[in-house]
Amino acid sequence: MNSFSSPMLDQSIFDNANESLVLGDFEQAKHILSPYRHLRQNYQIMILLGIAMAGCHTPKEAAKYLCQAQQLIEKPSTHCCCELEPYLGRHYLHHLIFPVVDEAITLTPNDILLHVAKINILKHSGQFSLAVAHLKKTICAFPQHTNSLLNNLATLLYETGKYRSAYTLYKTLEDRNPNSFAVIANLAAYYNAINDVEQAFLYYRKAIFINPTLPALRLNYSLCLLKAQQYHQGWIEHEWRLKTPNHSSLPEATLMPSLTHDLDIKGKRILITQEEGLGDTLMYLRFVPELIKRGATVELWVSAVMEGLCRRLEGNPNVKVGGTTPPPFDWHCPFISLPRVLGAVPGKDGAAIPYLRAEPRKIAEWKDKLPKTNCLKIGIAWGGDPHPEDIAANSTDRKRSIPLYKLVPLLQSIKNAQFISLQMGAYAPQIHDLPASIHLFNPMDTVHDMDDTAGIIMNLDVILTVDTSVVHLAGALGKPVILMDRYDNCWRWISGQEYSPWYPNVRIIRQTRPKIWGDVIEKATSILQEMATKHQHKN
């Protein structure tokens, strides 16, 4: 087919193909794109075709298109094979990525970016030993890139919890090139992870001096400020997240400004939009009643699972569920921008705990469905959302989640307790691998939304969970929570503290070593056994 007889190429072709790839319908994407495969000077078509071919189990074809696309990009910073991860990774198809990368290496063996792509994809899929092995081979093959590859090795060591080894290597690289932006930024992240915020600030500011407009860097700096409880500056800096790719389609011109004492919002229509995870939405709902008190007409645009909880917020905001078209508004405000908006006025800390309410009918329904017992009723959640399509979120999830088998000693040893699962999603099937002697009651197969989960939680005595939406829901409902937290904790779980100002009813047990859960589980067992014993004596 020549270019004169080819179908018209417009944005809808890209949109339709991209939608099919996101859904995992690789054959459909291939069907959409095949009429345009002769357009070898269009790198976007080449990339989408490469992804479709990879999903259709044709790695040689996929590699050919992706390498063709790579040659069309001026001064690339990554290889086009990296584009495979967001699409195939979301469907847990990493095993289809590596044959494509290996075929691409056969085609262009001297492309350093391709070898780095393979290292990173191995790392992101949790194959750390293979990543290190390929990295070492790459250093031998490309000695002129030794420093940048050693920086990758340090990051690998960091990801595997070998913090001291990573630090030693970062410092060696810094000594070789004190102005290396990549090394400085990585040292900032390292110091933030070990909760040395002063050193983290020092390195973040060095990095910002070198590259002041990089959104990802400024976002990470904001998280460091928030971890140090420098909230006013942190919230302002946190707005850099809105400049990251695919964050919001609503116009920046109508983003809600920060309130001042003389800014009257009475009668203003404010659309508050959900962003990032459910846990974030649950946390920032505390700020909504303050806008309603000031006379604003507030509409919350949320997912269906949040609808009931949102409708019962103080002030009874309007609630829009799903869809792609926003209702009319004067200003829009993502949930995570609310503390920035309120930062300079009374009410800046939001509503007091509890600020969410479970539906009384749901509480009663779940009381009848849960086991009848006088034992201490302990709700348990051990995993977050893996987000396989999001590399950074997936990495965090691997650190925060605990495989259920590691909690078997806790489940077996606590007397006078009834455990009730609150786990949804990818980690829930681990229940089936428990020893027969452990009875973990699982009501979650009949849970439809957060209203159901809230109804269950209100019938429990205490919640044991990792850092996922369950801790936010239980915390906002005012229930006692024990949080088993990772070493490099999220900013909201204050470093070096057992309690957070955001949820005073949450007790934090944090790893003392990266990726090691043993002492956390031991301490949680001791606390829960003491609670169970006291509960028994009360009854």
Side-chain angles (χ1 to χ4, degrees):
M1 180 184 292
N2 61 50
S3 59
F4 296 103
S5 62
S6 66
M8 182 75 71
L9 180 62
D10 59 33
Q11 187 59 43
S12 66
I13 302 299
F14 296 101
D15 293 342
N16 292 338
N18 186 69
E19 182 179 358
S20 295
L21 292 172
V22 168
L23 294 172
D25 191 344
F26 300 104
E27 288 289 350
Q28 176 64 15
K30 176 182 172 182
H31 175 74
I32 293 169
L33 294 165
S34 287
Y36 309 97
R37 58 187 170 189
H38 64 288
L39 301 177
R40 297 189 180 276
Q41 296 306 307
N42 188 312
Y43 78 91
Q44 292 173 298
I45 288 288
M46 295 298 104
I47 289 174
L48 292 176
L49 270 167
I51 298 166
M53 294 299 180
C56 292
H57 299 256
T58 52
K60 287 187 177 181
E61 286 288 294
K64 180 182 70 174
Y65 287 120
L66 291 168
C67 288
Q68 175 71 26
Q70 188 71 14
Q71 293 171 12
L72 298 173
I73 300 172
E74 187 177 351
K75 295 181 180 179
S77 59
T78 60
H79 196 277
C80 292
C81 281
C82 294
E83 299 290 341
L84 295 166
E85 279 197 275
Y87 294 94
L88 276 73
R90 72 170 60 235
H91 300 291
Y92 300 96
L93 297 173
H94 276 92
H95 64 283
L96 297 182
I97 297 177
F98 294 109
V100 178
V101 176
D102 289 337
E103 290 288 347
I105 289 174
T106 300
L107 291 172
T108 56
N110 296 321
D111 189 337
I112 181 65
L113 291 177
L114 181 52
H115 290 276
V116 171
K118 181 172 182 177
I119 293 162
N120 286 332
I121 295 167
L122 285 165
K123 179 181 74 172
H124 300 154
S125 62
Q127 301 180 69
F128 295 107
S129 59
L130 291 177
V132 170
H134 192 74
L135 195 153
K136 290 179 177 177
K137 283 173 56 179
T138 305
I139 290 173
C140 293
F142 299 89
Q144 70 275 30
H145 294 286
T146 295
N147 283 350
S148 62
L149 291 168
L150 286 175
N151 187 51
N152 279 40
L153 177 58
T155 304
L156 267 170
L157 294 169
Y158 171 84
E159 288 284 339
T160 54
K162 297 175 181 177
Y163 280 24
R164 292 305 303 176
S165 298
Y167 171 75
T168 300
L169 191 46
Y170 282 139
K171 292 300 287 183
T172 299
L173 292 168
E174 184 188 26
D175 291 341
R176 292 181 186 178
N177 184 358
N179 296 316
S180 167
F181 172 77
V183 173
I184 290 169
N186 283 337
L187 275 166
Y190 166 81
Y191 280 115
N192 191 34
I194 67 169
N195 300 318
D196 186 344
V197 292
E198 293 306 318
Q199 282 296 308
F201 284 150
L202 176 66
Y203 280 95
Y204 273 125
R205 288 161 186 161
K206 282 183 181 179
I208 289 169
F209 182 79
I210 297 170
N211 195 342
T213 58
L214 183 64
L217 174 66
R218 300 298 292 262
L219 175 58
N220 288 339
Y221 176 50
S222 76
L223 297 175
C224 189
L225 288 164
L226 294 172
K227 182 180 269 194
Q229 300 183 71
Q230 296 185 23
Y231 293 123
H232 183 72
Q233 185 184 357
W235 296 129
I236 294 171
E237 194 77 12
H238 205 52
E239 296 295 276
W240 278 90
R241 77 190 187 283
L242 300 177
K243 297 184 183 297
T244 57
N246 305 318
H247 200 91
S248 176
S249 59
L250 295 177
E252 189 175 349
T254 52
L255 181 66
M256 189 172 184
S258 297
L259 296 184
T260 57
H261 293 280
D262 57 352
L263 179 60
D264 186 7
I265 63 171
K266 189 173 183 180
K268 290 286 187 182
R269 297 169 300 176
I270 301 172
L271 177 65
I272 301 178
T273 54
Q274 188 167 318
E275 57 175 327
E276 301 187 17
L278 291 175
D280 291 294
T281 302
L282 290 163
M283 176 176 172
Y284 293 99
L285 281 169
R286 72 182 70 217
F287 298 104
V288 172
E290 185 60 33
L291 296 178
I292 297 172
K293 287 177 187 174
R294 291 171 175 271
T297 300
V298 174
E299 183 144 11
L300 309 180
W301 193 0
V302 296
S303 59
V305 296
M306 296 292 297
E307 182 179 5
L309 285 172
C310 289
R311 290 193 187 282
R312 287 191 300 280
L313 271 176
E314 182 184 354
N316 301 311
N318 300 321
V319 178
K320 172 180 169 56
V321 175
T324 57
T325 304
F329 62 89
D330 297 304
W331 287 320
H332 72 90
C333 181
F335 270 103
I336 299 176
S337 290
L338 285 170
R340 185 267 302 164
V341 166
L342 294 167
V345 297
K348 64 181 181 180
D349 296 325
I353 303 289
Y355 57 87
L356 294 182
R357 293 177 290 126
E359 185 181 12
R361 179 178 60 83
K362 292 279 189 182
I363 298 173
E365 284 179 3
W366 282 107
K367 183 178 181 180
D368 290 338
K369 294 178 182 178
L370 295 175
K372 305 294 187 292
T373 177
N374 289 324
C375 294
L376 185 77
K377 293 186 285 295
I378 305 171
I380 181 170
W382 56 92
D385 185 340
H387 290 287
E389 79 289 352
D390 185 321
I391 291 166
N394 185 254
S395 175
T396 298
D397 185 67
R398 284 202 299 267
K399 289 187 281 188
R400 68 173 172 171
S401 298
I402 305 175
L404 184 56
Y405 74 85
K406 291 191 176 183
L407 293 171
V408 166
L410 180 149
L411 296 168
Q412 285 180 327
S413 63
I414 297 176
K415 309 302 180 188
N416 194 46
Q418 170 67 61
F419 287 96
I420 295 161
S421 174
L422 297 172
Q423 184 63 51
M424 296 283 280
Y427 293 91
Q430 293 178 0
I431 288 177
H432 304 304
D433 299 325
L434 287 173
S437 59
I438 294 176
H439 179 60
L440 174 57
F441 184 79
N442 181 23
M444 303 307 286
D445 290 340
T446 54
V447 161
H448 301 291
D449 54 23
M450 282 289 182
D451 252 5
D452 278 318
T453 307
I456 295 171
I457 286 173
M458 293 306 296
N459 283 287
L460 306 178
D461 299 301
V462 62
I463 313 302
L464 176 70
T465 181
V466 296
D467 183 7
T468 185
S469 58
V470 169
V471 68
H472 293 280
L473 178 57
L477 290 167
K479 276 290 182 178
V481 181
I482 297 172
L483 168 62
M484 299 177 289
D485 199 19
R486 68 183 196 267
Y487 181 84
D488 56 333
N489 58 285
C490 171
W491 63 268
R492 70 199 87 205
W493 315 123
I494 309 300
S495 302
Q497 304 291 326
E498 284 194 2
Y499 295 92
S500 165
W502 300 101
Y503 300 106
N505 50 317
V506 174
R507 182 171 179 177
I508 304 163
I509 309 173
R510 185 167 295 121
Q511 289 178 338
T512 56
R513 291 175 293 164
K515 296 184 174 286
I516 304 299
W517 288 108
D519 52 349
V520 174
I521 294 169
E522 276 187 33
K523 189 170 182 179
T525 302
S526 176
I527 293 169
L528 288 171
Q529 184 58 70
E530 183 179 351
M531 292 180 69
T533 301
K534 288 181 178 178
H535 185 86
Q536 183 180 30
H537 291 157
K538 276 199 308 184
N539 290 288

